[in-house]
Amino acid sequence: MKKILNDPNHFVAEMLDGLYRAHPEQLTFTGDDPHCLVRADSPVMGKVALATGGGSGHLPVFLGYVGPGMLSGCAVGDVFQSPSADQMLEVTRRIHGGKGVLYIYGNYGGDVMNFDMATEMADMEGIEVRTVLVRDDVASASPERQDTRRGVAGMIFAFKVAGAKADQGGSLDEVEAAATKALAHTRSMGVALSSCTLPAVRQPTFSIGDDEMEIGMGIHGEKGVRRGPLESADQIAVELLDAVLAELDVHGGDRLAVMVNGLGATPPEELYILFRRVHRTLEERGVAVHQAFVGEYATSLEMAGASLTVMKLDDELQGLLDHPAHTPFFTQVGR
Amino acid sequence: MSEGGAEVITGQEISDALRRAAAQLILLRDHLNRLDADIGDGDSGLTAERGAQAILAYLDATPPTDDLGRWLAGAGMAYNRAAPSTMGALMATAFMRAGKEVMGRATLGPEDLAAMLNAADQGLQERGKTKPGDKTIVDALHPAAVALSEALKAGEPLEHAAQTMLDAARAGRDAAIALRSQVGRANWVGERTEGKPDPGTVLLVAALEAALQADFSEAGSRLG
């Protein structure tokens, strides 16, 4: 795998340096540590602050959603590694606007432990912190074991909905409830066609045949539900759609937000081919797509493949989704 | 430690003991990696080395203060910053919870050590969502914490109580060899973990041995 690199050990540091240089009006860091990324206008006083965090290698997740209408800050880890608890604490201190802080992040062991520790330390400093864990990937565990599911692209809908609630002046209780509701209405599943390659390792993380795909694979290469011959875009679209709709009780007349997300090495053309089948199938069932998100929203370095995320909308979720937001990687025009 | 009367443990003594433990973990890097490769993802030694280096750097830069609780919590944060992995988070939790027990104290007594070890044990079980018998570091730490508390309660002097604690940690480590991993990445390996030492228990015993200046023992050496 060829990569555009200097020293692979400086992958994250140089990525962050480039990012701050590209978006100086929007992003900065705190605690003298570039891994502690916050909105340039932090803290926004009088509003609930939202933070996330996790390993690098998933842009725009996580830091790409820091900006007005979405997140207030993000602790950035090394590639696929959790940031440390005190980096999270540093972000928490800087974004706190006096109304508490909500952590929204994916269900991965190292992240959970470090965020829990950051919560304890913030509490000792008088900052109230709550946590909403993202567990949207239906392929990662059965419905009976939903608590162990990992979080993937569905977190973007949670960022959007909770961010809107905070921007509108919601209390910590209300912002937490909005995030929880968004996630209760959101499910995801993906398919991988190739491995990613860690910059410092320079070898593919796992092997998969040229004519194979792995349905349900995680964004670090965790195993999915089955491996088989590569199928057509239409077959993949229908399998992913059926799997995510199975838990959402969607009927004719319902409205959805639909995200077809590229994992890093699949061109947007192919994502639109997938979206086409998803949309036509929903149309046949009388289900409306309120807003489509087609592009790269949560990647895994240069992994080929895609994920499908669906959020079933009601009036409240639709209103919060429609609220304006603006980050270096994501813009929602209010409507 | 003073002879007779009330036993007083100074920050300098704790700092020296931590230094010895950290140096021992650095020596054990490859050994821990090999143990972990058998049942987990093979980076335990690297993480331990990184954390131990951070502890040594912290001790160099930060002599013990009049608030040993905050000073110990700082050591945990240094470990976590250098190694934010699962084990790094667990070690930091152990230091923080132990430190909380002695916030604002400039010197410690034997009963403080017991309280700190119990707090570290509880912290690890909470943070790691694990309990004795799951084949983790807790299988050595929990019996050690219980043994130290009970020995002190029974009126043993600290030196004897510490030996009792170390024996309990070694016995816990060796008893865990037969167990099957119940948590974390090692859980996926399932029955293949039976009969293999748990790197967390090996790490803890080695750290205690170094801190107490006892001889280094191999996992399984005290079985039978």
Side-chain angles (χ1 to χ4, degrees), chain B:
Chain B
M1 289 164 226
S2 59
E3 291 296 320
E7 293 174 289
V8 172
I9 300 131
T10 65
Q12 191 57 49
E13 284 173 311
I14 293 174
S15 176
D16 292 345
L18 283 177
R19 246 179 224 288
R20 290 193 295 270
Q24 180 69 352
L25 294 191
I26 291 166
L27 287 178
L28 279 181
R29 182 191 68 179
D30 294 342
H31 181 59
L32 290 171
N33 276 340
R34 271 194 302 276
L35 293 177
D36 191 32
D38 273 349
I39 70 169
D41 57 1
D43 67 353
S44 252
L46 285 176
T47 320
E49 184 196 31
R50 223 175 285 149
Q53 299 278 21
I55 292 276
L56 291 177
Y58 176 80
L59 296 175
D60 285 342
T62 322
T65 62
D66 284 350
D67 185 344
L68 291 179
R70 284 201 186 277
W71 177 75
L72 278 170
M77 293 322 298
Y79 194 118
N80 180 249
R81 190 178 272 262
S85 67
T86 300
M87 188 50 92
L90 291 172
M91 296 305 280
T93 299
F95 274 99
M96 277 175 48
R97 293 294 179 87
K100 259 191 196 171
E101 292 293 316
V102 293
M103 281 295 174
R105 305 278 302 280
T107 60
L108 309 178
E111 66 287 351
D112 293 319
L113 293 184
M116 287 161 67
L117 210 55
N118 280 321
D121 175 30
Q122 287 306 313
L124 282 190
Q125 294 195 41
E126 276 171 39
R127 184 80 70 222
K129 298 182 175 63
T130 178
K131 56 190 187 309
D134 287 346
K135 192 163 185 148
T136 70
I137 188 170
V138 167
D139 283 302
L141 178 58
H142 181 69
V146 171
L148 181 63
S149 290
E150 287 181 354
L152 290 173
K153 248 181 248 163
E156 283 188 39
L158 181 57
E159 200 174 327
H160 291 173
Q163 185 60 44
T164 308
M165 169 190 75
L166 181 56
D167 288 343
R170 286 166 167 162
R173 171 197 67 190
D174 292 348
I177 292 174
L179 300 175
R180 183 187 297 196
S181 293
Q182 300 297 326
V183 291
R185 206 177 284 245
N187 181 27
W188 304 348
V189 188
E191 62 189 16
R192 278 187 285 152
T193 63
E194 290 172 19
K196 309 241 169 71
D198 171 67
T201 60
V202 171
L203 179 154
L204 181 83
V205 170
L208 287 178
E209 285 168 341
L212 297 172
Q213 298 180 290
D215 289 338
F216 179 61
S217 64
E218 288 279 349
S221 58
R222 314 264 158 158
L223 278 179

